[in-house]
Amino acid sequence: MSSLSRELVFLILQFLDEEKFKETVHRLEQESGFFFNMRHFEDLVTGGEWDDAEKYLSGFTKVDDNRYSMKIFFEIRKQKYLEALDRRDRAKAVEILVKDLKVFSAFNEELFKEITLLLTLDNFRENEQLSKYGDTKSARSIMLAELKKLIEANPLFRDKLQFPTLKNSRLRTLINQSLNWQHQLCKNPRPNPDIKTLFVDHACGPPNGTRAPSPVTNPLMNAAPVPKAGGFPPLGAHGVSEVIRFSFIYWPVIVDVNLTFLFSYVFSTWKPFQAAPAPLPTSLAGWMANPSSVPHPAASAGPMGLGAPNNPAIVKRPRTPPSNNAALDYQTADSEHVLKRPRPFGAPEELNNLSVNILPVAYNNQTHGQSSYSSDDLPRNVVMNLSQGSAVKSLDFHPLQQNLLLVGTNMGDVMVWELVSRERIAFRNFKVWELSACSMPLQASLTNDYSASVNRVMWSPDGTLFGVAYSKHIVHLYSYHGPNDLRNHLEIEAHVGSVNDLAFSYPNKQLSVVTCGEDRLIKVWDAVTGAKQYTFEGHESPVYSVCPHHKENIQFIFSTATDGKIKAWLYDNIGSRVDYDAPGHSSTMMAYSADGTRLFSCGTNKEGESFLVEWNESEGTVKRTYLGLGKRSVGIVQFDTTRNRFLAAGDEFAVKFWDMDNVSLLTTTDADGGLPASPCVRFNKEGTLMAVSTSDNGVKILANADGLRLLRAVENRAFDASRVTSAAIVKGPTMGMFPAGNASIAASIADRTTAVPAMVGMNADNRNLVDVKPKIPDESADKSKIWKLTEINELSQCRSLRLPDSISAMRISRLIYTNSGFAILALASNAVHKLWKWPRNDRNSSGKATASIAPQLWQPSSGILMTNDLSDTNPEDAVSCFALSKNDSYVMSASGGKISLFNMMTFKTMTTFMPPPPAATFLAFHPQDNNIIAIGMEDSSIQIYNVRVDEVKTKLKGHQKRITGLAFSNVQNVLVSSGADSQLCVWSMDGWEKLACRSLQIPPGRAVNPLADTRVQFHQDQIHLLAVHETQIAIYETPRLECLKQWVAAESRGPITHATYSCDSQSIYVSFEDGSISILTASNLRLRCRISPSAYLPPNPSMRVYPLCIAAHPSEANQFALGLTDGGVCVLEPLESDGQWGTPPPAENGAGSSNPPSSAATDQPQQR
């Protein structure tokens, strides 16, 4: 619903309240969900009208929305239950218990049991916790105070507890104004018109003699006469006392018509302070076709038109401010922003005085508006790989130094790469600069989890600043002063929750930062002081992206939300001017062509459908839809534009290109493989280079011929600038890439720059240089830098920690990190669980698991242990298994006996079920319902069990031996099972029918244990499946179970004991019976690091110790833990100086070959 429609609801609510339609008022409050009337709710609660109170609440929240909502409904139903018991109405109490309170048992079974026991008491006050319960009135009063606190703290009620401040009878006033305006439009206005209806527009009848303009008399409005235009006294009791010159802007309040059409008409014809409206135009020209001379005209909007068709100056090229600096282009969409939108527009003239670090490079006969291109102009050749250490989330090339690349990752790391040297010249990880200055919600969030992901990185138009938007509240601005000189500039707590996007803009010729976030707001900040300038409200879902732009002197912002809504805003406080639906209601990003005349968007909806379109700005409709995007995209497809001619999008493990004028796919490239399903893509300013994220936590740089020349030219400029005379800098060689007319401009830039490296022309014209000796790299030296496998053989080569343990040591059968990453849970072969928790202190502010600080072996004050039922099973023969709930509150576990459900806080056994035979051998929680569990059994069956009703819903049969692995995929809506029969099966979660079944491909000649476990785990894309067997690691694509890659271990190292993906699915950690650990790059199954047991185990020749299970930290991609045969647990991390486990082998050394090795080869991947 648009912001104006929302305001109309408030006006109607005020009108209904004034007219005493009380029930209708509250019904509209509930159905609209715009205003929660706390006074009405209080009346319902104090009156004991429980059903009405819940019904009213249901317009704003549901029981399972969040913990606040759950607590609100629980308190109401509990009070209703206690009052029934107090009345001795046991039948009603039982009904409430079964119908209303049973739903909470899934979240706290123990509490539900305690509430049920109240039925057995003559007076529930005999219960110690309810001994102070007074009479009904006082109990309701106490509960109401608690409910009010919960409602005020509930984020779903944010901005819904305060009714907007309105003058009395605001709707009547607006209607009077409209009628007054309609009467002025009459061709022959009567002196005392009799208006009897609002259903049609007012018009006076044919004249009977000459009549003067007259006031409006409306008995429905109880309005007094209105004198002639020029002096309007109040319109009755609810009139206005000032001249109404713009009454027509309120028409949407009166007539239920297309608001977009009205706004288009009104503001395409609006001229400030004109006494009469302009005639209706024949076409809808857009919402800022005739901008006023004021800095931010209060224009409302209809179609997405951003330029009038009758104004060719606007359509052809935006106005460029005077500049004598070709390097500092007027930033419209010229520097296209990665994936979403152009870089901000309009660098003011004073920015020309800012220093730059290196001169830009242009090319002969290649202007930015050039239109003669071919697909050969696209950067498609891989020229280098950059390893980041964690998954890449955002990329941006420097606007002037086009060999500098800014990168942000999912672990909060931000780095600047110099492409020619392939060096990381600046680095920052996520850290709040002033924690004490942060809001309490942010401090609480950081206390629970100090990590944050980068959502967006972006250079300012002049390249002196860059901004970083994080997934937690914060925006950081850094000032860049050259290699290894990165300085903190501003820290802004911009939004509540995630900051989803940022961009730079120039309202009032002042550099600003535009941000948007999870709190559904768009905000504008002064980039120098950090002061907030504007806040835009109106989206009903989290705001996904922002795209600032300008037409003529009108500056505006497009915003898109996760519900597919597109809005446009001027820099004022009036509200959105455009309200449109993105194609397919997708989460969408917008971008302009380099010249700012063409608008594009690309997005993906919840069904995985992606849409790349061009918009018709004057009509606000989709002009063309580009073909070739996948039907089921993973993640949101990201895109970029370049050269006013090409579009690029990352989709289906490739980069796809389109000509802007042709909807058909132009060409694609897989960048030599290794791309994720939806890679990030980013052109440099000239479109000669492209950065693409890879699935192994890296970035590939693609180039065309001009891009290669650019990199070589910059490389040849890497010499001592102090040896160049000032004359050489001023005159400079004429580069083959610079138009001749730019020489003076280049000189003026150089004059303003301190320590600027001089430039050597590609034509080697150095006649004007004095003693210039370019530094040319020794190619033979580069070739000698052969990649080597990283071998870690000593304790000093990594960080390892054996966790303290005072409980009897038995081999560790199962191991897992808690979802928060604060603890490790192990299950030993004697059925005893062990829980280690890390302390939060000065050395470990996040409280996360780390190899640098020893944790505590945690036990509750009662001293009890979580011990599984063993029945008559021999512990050495029992198969252990467990599964942890998403909130880390419960663990379900079995060790050959009954399945036990434990409370992780108290270690108490909540319940036991399913006694053997058959025994449970694997457990997995349903991803959408914690009450449903998939249980793999010893008899090869899989039981789908509902804990809440204690019932087996269905039994799946497809294996011949016991179940050894289960994995759910939300994306594919399937369950994958594996068994000791070396088979994989895929089951539909809808009807539980079997979709596919496949046996592992055992290497020929290998002796295999007939009961060897096969484990399965989904990649984070929920499509690719890791299968682990004692002989191999294999990657399958679901649901067809097509084997994509296979890695066969060397027999000399013994069987594989376990393997797991890292948290970002970029690495695979593999443990062996000889005690060694191999770390593979997940995308190609290439070995990049091997850890010897001597690196984490003390020498003990009398005892053979090796890992049986391995677990990956849920948010630290380079941390994992080992469960050992001697009962110990070790945590391993790379050295801080290394940052990661080895480096992937470069493709140019042959390590990237996809040729299948012979069966005799070991530790090598095989393509299938």
Side-chain angles (χ1 to χ4, degrees):
M1 182 177 287
S2 68
S3 57
L4 282 176
S5 298
R6 178 187 172 93
E7 291 177 5
L8 178 56
V9 171
F10 282 113
L11 293 175
I12 295 171
L13 284 171
Q14 183 196 45
F15 173 78
L16 293 173
D17 186 64
E18 290 171 345
E19 297 297 320
K20 309 302 182 188
F21 294 111
K22 296 298 183 184
E23 290 186 12
T24 308
V25 168
H26 302 317
R27 181 71 177 272
L28 181 56
E29 290 167 351
Q30 174 206 332
E31 291 190 353
S32 67
F34 291 158
F35 173 62
F36 185 83
N37 192 324
M38 187 69 82
R39 181 174 297 179
H40 173 60
F41 183 68
E42 290 176 9
D43 293 340
L44 295 175
V45 171
T46 54
E49 300 176 47
W50 307 117
D51 291 342
D52 289 341
E54 283 206 27
K55 185 177 180 181
Y56 187 71
L57 273 172
S58 67
F60 303 88
T61 185
K62 301 292 185 293
V63 175
D64 57 354
D65 279 346
N66 57 43
R67 58 191 179 94
Y68 299 103
S69 300
M70 185 176 295
K71 179 71 170 170
I72 291 168
F73 281 97
F74 175 74
E75 290 296 328
I76 291 173
R77 296 176 185 183
K78 183 186 74 174
Q79 181 63 28
K80 181 167 60 167
Y81 176 66
L82 293 177
E83 289 186 14
L85 289 175
D86 212 19
R87 296 192 306 268
R88 310 273 179 173
D89 189 350
R90 297 300 176 89
K92 184 65 175 176
V94 170
E95 180 186 342
I96 295 169
L97 185 69
V98 174
K99 291 179 60 178
D100 296 335
L101 289 170
K102 179 70 173 176
V103 66
F104 301 104
S105 64
F107 306 99
N108 195 329
E109 182 73 26
E110 192 172 335
L111 177 61
F112 180 73
K113 289 180 179 179
E114 191 172 349
I115 291 174
T116 304
L117 289 176
L118 296 179
L119 287 168
T120 64
L121 303 177
D122 291 334
N123 186 339
F124 63 78
R125 292 173 180 83
E126 297 173 18
N127 182 291
E128 183 180 353
Q129 297 183 37
L130 297 172
S131 59
K132 296 183 180 180
Y133 185 94
D135 59 14
T136 298
K137 183 176 180 181
S138 62
R140 288 178 182 175
S141 178
I142 293 170
M143 181 194 67
L144 181 60
E146 177 69 16
L147 291 179
K148 290 173 70 174
K149 292 178 183 178
L150 290 169
I151 290 170
E152 289 168 357
N154 195 327
L156 295 177
F157 288 82
R158 187 184 298 128
D159 302 330
K160 295 182 180 180
L161 300 177
Q162 189 71 35
F163 197 85
T165 303
L166 302 174
K167 292 182 179 179
N168 290 337
S169 304
R170 178 63 179 160
L171 185 57
R172 290 177 179 273
T173 301
L174 296 178
I175 292 175
N176 274 351
Q177 293 172 359
S178 176
L179 293 173
N180 177 31
W181 181 255
Q182 291 177 37
H183 186 60
Q184 290 188 54
L185 293 179
C186 291
K187 294 181 179 179
N188 302 287
R190 298 189 178 210
N192 294 296
D194 185 15
I195 300 177
K196 296 181 178 179
T197 181
L198 297 176
F199 294 158
V200 296
D201 288 349
H202 162 68
C204 293
N208 186 14
T210 303
R211 298 176 186 266
S214 59
V216 175
T217 302
N218 181 3
L220 295 176
M221 292 292 101
N222 191 24
V226 181
K228 297 178 181 179
F232 292 90
L235 296 178
H238 308 297
V240 290
S241 58
E242 59 185 0
V243 177
I244 306 300
R245 300 179 190 269
F246 294 96
S247 305
F248 54 85
I249 66 173
Y250 303 113
W251 283 1
V253 176
I254 310 304
V255 187
D256 184 15
V257 296
N258 187 308
L259 297 177
T260 302
F261 176 85
L262 283 175
F263 287 159
S264 173
Y265 163 51
V266 168
F267 290 98
S268 63
T269 57
W270 173 36
K271 297 187 183 300
F273 304 108
Q274 69 182 38
L280 180 67
T282 57
S283 64
L284 303 179
W287 52 281
M288 47 185 70
N290 296 306
S292 70
S293 58
V294 296
H296 301 293
S300 192
M304 198 177 289
L306 303 177
N310 58 359
N311 191 342
I314 298 177
V315 175
K316 291 182 179 178
R317 69 178 65 83
R319 188 176 61 188
T320 304
S323 172
N324 62 348
N325 184 351
L328 211 58
D329 288 345
Y330 186 63
Q331 304 286 335
T332 55
D334 202 311
S335 313
E336 307 91 325
H337 174 39
V338 58
L339 319 178
K340 291 191 177 182
R341 71 240 143 189
R343 285 195 186 89
F345 40 80
E349 191 170 350
E350 56 265 30
L351 281 182
N352 289 341
N353 297 320
L354 296 170
S355 63
V356 294
N357 303 97
I358 195 169
L359 294 179
V361 179
Y363 297 98
N364 269 340
N365 304 318
Q366 183 177 311
T367 64
H368 202 70
Q370 174 179 344
S371 59
S372 57
Y373 295 101
S374 71
S375 61
D376 292 336
D377 294 316
L378 293 168
R380 291 186 292 170
N381 300 312
V382 178
V383 295
M384 68 182 71
N385 292 271
L386 308 174
S387 178
Q388 311 300 315
S390 49
V392 174
K393 297 283 286 186
S394 182
L395 302 160
D396 196 21
F397 279 97
H398 195 282
L400 305 180
Q401 304 177 52
Q402 297 185 57
N403 67 317
L404 296 186
L405 178 67
L406 177 62
V407 182
T409 77
N410 69 331
M411 302 306 294
D413 298 333
V414 181
M415 57 208 77
V416 179
W417 288 88
E418 206 283 322
L419 299 185
V420 172
S421 64
R422 306 190 188 191
E423 291 182 2
R424 191 174 68 183
I425 60 174
F427 176 82
R428 288 289 189 275
N429 54 21
F430 175 70
K431 183 178 180 181
V432 176
W433 302 343
E434 294 186 42
L435 187 60
S436 59
C438 296
S439 66
M440 292 308 296
L442 176 54
Q443 291 190 41
S445 175
L446 294 173
T447 300
N448 293 328
D449 181 7
Y450 198 81
S451 64
S453 170
V454 173
N455 285 336
R456 175 68 56 212
V457 292
M458 190 177 197
W459 289 101
S460 63
D462 67 321
T464 59
L465 298 174
F466 67 78
V468 186
Y470 290 101
S471 62
K472 286 188 178 174
H473 300 244
I474 293 291
V475 165
H476 279 163
L477 294 184
Y478 292 93
S479 58
Y480 176 75
H481 299 267
N484 301 312
D485 191 1
L486 193 61
R487 304 173 191 175
N488 297 353
H489 178 60
L490 282 176
E491 179 174 77
I492 303 172
E493 186 173 347
H495 296 272
V496 178
S498 175
V499 184
N500 294 331
D501 199 11
L502 66 77
F504 289 93
S505 65
Y506 280 99
N508 301 320
K509 296 186 178 181
Q510 180 179 6
L511 183 63
S512 299
V513 180
V514 184
T515 65
C516 66
E518 190 177 6
D519 55 6
R520 298 173 290 176
L521 301 177
I522 301 103
K523 297 182 181 181
V524 183
W525 313 83
D526 187 305
V528 177
T529 66
K532 184 167 65 176
Q533 298 172 318
Y534 302 96
T535 299
F536 302 127
E537 303 181 43
H539 278 292
E540 297 176 357
S541 294
V543 185
Y544 180 67
S545 70
V546 288
C547 175
H549 198 60
H550 84 299
K551 291 285 183 178
E552 287 290 292
N553 64 331
I554 303 299
Q555 304 196 31
F556 54 92
I557 302 167
F558 276 123
S559 63
T560 71
T562 56
D563 60 359
K565 290 292 183 182
I566 300 174
K567 294 180 182 289
W569 318 78
L570 295 179
Y571 290 87
D572 54 32
N573 296 309
I574 291 182
S576 64
R577 304 312 212 277
V578 163
D579 190 350
Y580 278 97
D581 289 326
H585 297 278
S586 55
S587 294
T588 297
M589 299 158 286
M590 308 189 79
Y592 275 90
S593 58
D595 58 8
T597 62
R598 300 174 70 172
L599 178 63
F600 303 89
S601 73
C602 182
T604 305
N605 62 20
K606 295 178 181 178
E607 289 72 38
E609 298 174 300
S610 297
F611 304 87
L612 176 61
V613 304
E614 180 180 3
W615 290 89
N616 184 324
E617 288 188 90
S618 63
E619 298 294 335
T621 57
V622 172
K623 182 177 180 179
R624 56 170 58 91
T625 300
Y626 297 92
L627 307 177
L629 289 177
K631 299 298 183 183
R632 194 178 181 90
S633 301
V634 177
I636 297 174
V637 171
Q638 305 184 21
F639 85 122
D640 200 7
T641 72
T642 188
R643 295 189 176 187
N644 304 314
R645 185 60 184 272
F646 295 117
L647 299 168
D651 183 42
E652 295 185 309
F653 307 93
V655 181
K656 301 179 178 181
F657 298 94
W658 290 264
D659 185 305
M660 289 181 178
D661 296 324
N662 191 332
V663 298
S664 298
L665 189 63
L666 178 63
T667 187
T668 65
T669 178
D670 65 356
D672 297 341
L675 301 188
S678 299
C680 300
V681 294
R682 182 66 168 130
F683 286 109
N684 71 338
K685 182 178 177 180
E686 296 297 333
T688 58
L689 300 175
M690 170 178 273
V692 186
S693 64
T694 65
S695 56
D696 60 350
N697 297 342
V699 174
K700 290 188 177 184
I701 304 300
L702 283 62
N704 61 12
D706 288 335
L708 287 170
R709 285 196 291 271
L710 166 65
L711 294 175
R712 290 169 186 158
V714 175
E715 183 178 33
N716 290 336
R717 293 201 299 270
F719 59 88
D720 188 359
S722 64
R723 303 180 67 184
V724 183
T725 66
S726 59
I729 298 176
V730 172
K731 282 185 84 174
T734 303
M735 293 189 62
M737 298 162 287
F738 260 124
N742 287 350
S744 63
I745 299 174
S748 66
I749 298 175
D751 288 339
R752 292 197 301 268
T753 307
T754 59
V756 179
M759 300 169 62
V760 178
M762 282 167 34
N763 55 8
D765 182 5
N766 57 3
R767 291 169 295 177
N768 297 318
L769 300 180
V770 179
D771 192 22
V772 174
K773 296 181 180 179
K775 179 182 177 182
I776 301 176
D778 185 351
E779 291 187 9
S780 62
D782 282 345
K783 291 180 180 178
S784 68
K785 297 177 183 177
I786 304 301
W787 174 87
K788 292 183 179 180
L789 173 70
T790 301
E791 297 271 7
I792 297 177
N793 300 311
E794 300 177 6
L795 290 169
S796 61
Q797 292 180 287
C798 67
R799 290 180 289 165
S800 65
L801 173 69
R802 187 179 176 102
L803 306 189
D805 191 354
S806 59
I807 303 175
S808 59
M810 295 287 286
R811 62 183 174 86
I812 302 299
S813 301
R814 293 289 184 266
L815 191 69
I816 192 173
Y817 282 86
T818 58
N819 294 293
S820 64
F822 295 164
I824 288 178
L825 178 67
L827 174 58
S829 59
N830 61 353
V832 174
H833 298 78
K834 303 176 185 181
L835 180 66
W836 288 271
K837 290 186 177 181
W838 268 259
R840 181 179 283 108
N841 51 36
D842 293 340
R843 293 179 60 201
N844 186 23
S845 58
S846 68
K848 285 187 177 180
T850 173
S852 303
I853 298 173
Q856 293 177 322
L857 181 60
W858 193 86
Q859 282 183 274
S861 56
S862 63
I864 65 173
L865 297 174
M866 286 190 291
T867 306
N868 281 334
D869 170 61
L870 282 170
S871 299
D872 298 326
T873 309
N874 181 348
E876 292 300 318
D877 297 332
V879 177
S880 300
C881 55
F882 63 21
L884 192 62
S885 65
K886 298 186 190 76
N887 59 4
D888 296 333
S889 297
Y890 303 98
V891 62
M892 192 163 293
S893 183
S895 296
K898 296 178 183 177
I899 300 173
S900 301
L901 179 65
F902 295 101
N903 184 310
M904 286 278 284
M905 294 298 294
T906 65
F907 282 14
K908 289 183 179 179
T909 303
M910 308 297 295
T911 186
T912 60
F913 54 95
M914 284 199 176
T921 55
F922 206 92
L923 299 167
F925 280 101
H926 193 289
Q928 298 158 10
D929 189 346
N930 262 343
N931 293 297
I932 298 178
I933 308 162
I935 306 173
M937 307 300 286
E938 195 173 32
D939 66 354
S940 77
S941 67
I942 303 166
Q943 300 193 19
I944 307 301
Y945 178 76
N946 191 312
V947 181
R948 182 186 298 175
V949 298
D950 189 18
E951 179 184 5
V952 175
K953 292 293 186 183
T954 188
K955 186 180 288 189
L956 312 179
K957 294 184 178 181
H959 291 273
Q960 281 72 50
K961 296 180 181 179
R962 62 179 169 86
I963 304 300
T964 58
L966 295 169
F968 283 99
S969 168
N970 254 335
V971 171
Q972 301 280 1
N973 203 35
V974 297
L975 168 67
V976 177
S977 61
S978 60
D981 55 2
S982 302
Q983 276 196 333
L984 307 178
C985 293
V986 181
W987 313 85
S988 168
M989 287 161 56
D990 292 329
W992 299 111
E993 69 272 12
K994 185 163 66 174
L995 302 179
C997 191
R998 189 179 295 272
S999 296
L1000 294 181
Q1001 302 166 12
I1002 304 300
R1006 293 290 288 266
V1008 178
N1009 180 351
L1011 293 178
D1013 286 357
T1014 301
R1015 303 287 176 80
V1016 286
Q1017 181 188 6
F1018 270 105
H1019 185 282
Q1020 66 179 6
D1021 66 11
Q1022 298 276 291
I1023 295 175
H1024 293 91
L1025 182 80
L1026 171 66
V1028 182
H1029 187 262
E1030 65 174 25
T1031 64
Q1032 64 186 272
I1033 301 294
I1035 304 296
Y1036 289 84
E1037 185 176 57
T1038 57
R1040 294 179 299 164
L1041 289 180
E1042 178 185 353
C1043 185
L1044 304 178
K1045 294 181 177 67
Q1046 184 186 44
W1047 185 82
V1048 178
E1051 286 190 82
S1052 59
R1053 300 174 60 188
I1056 295 171
T1057 58
H1058 198 202
T1060 185
Y1061 274 122
S1062 60
C1063 64
D1064 57 4
S1065 295
Q1066 303 305 308
S1067 302
I1068 300 174
Y1069 301 118
V1070 188
S1071 60
F1072 291 86
E1073 202 170 273
D1074 68 353
S1076 65
I1077 310 296
S1078 290
I1079 301 173
L1080 312 179
T1081 299
S1083 61
N1084 53 21
L1085 297 188
R1086 292 290 177 183
L1087 180 65
R1088 72 165 187 259
C1089 180
R1090 182 181 291 130
I1091 303 173
S1092 168
S1094 59
Y1096 66 91
L1097 291 175
N1100 187 355
S1102 63
M1103 188 174 183
R1104 179 168 172 256
V1105 179
Y1106 59 90
L1108 283 174
C1109 44
I1110 188 166
H1113 192 285
S1115 57
E1116 298 291 337
N1118 289 294
Q1119 184 188 136
F1120 60 90
L1122 304 173
L1124 305 175
T1125 53
D1126 66 353
V1129 173
C1130 285
V1131 174
L1132 277 76
E1133 292 182 278
L1135 296 174
E1136 291 187 1
S1137 58
D1138 295 337
Q1140 64 180 3
W1141 297 107
T1143 57
E1148 57 266 26
N1149 287 340
S1153 173
S1154 61
N1155 295 329
S1158 66
S1159 59
T1162 59
D1163 289 359
Q1164 294 295 322
Q1166 299 185 25
Q1167 303 284 342
R1168 297 290 176 184

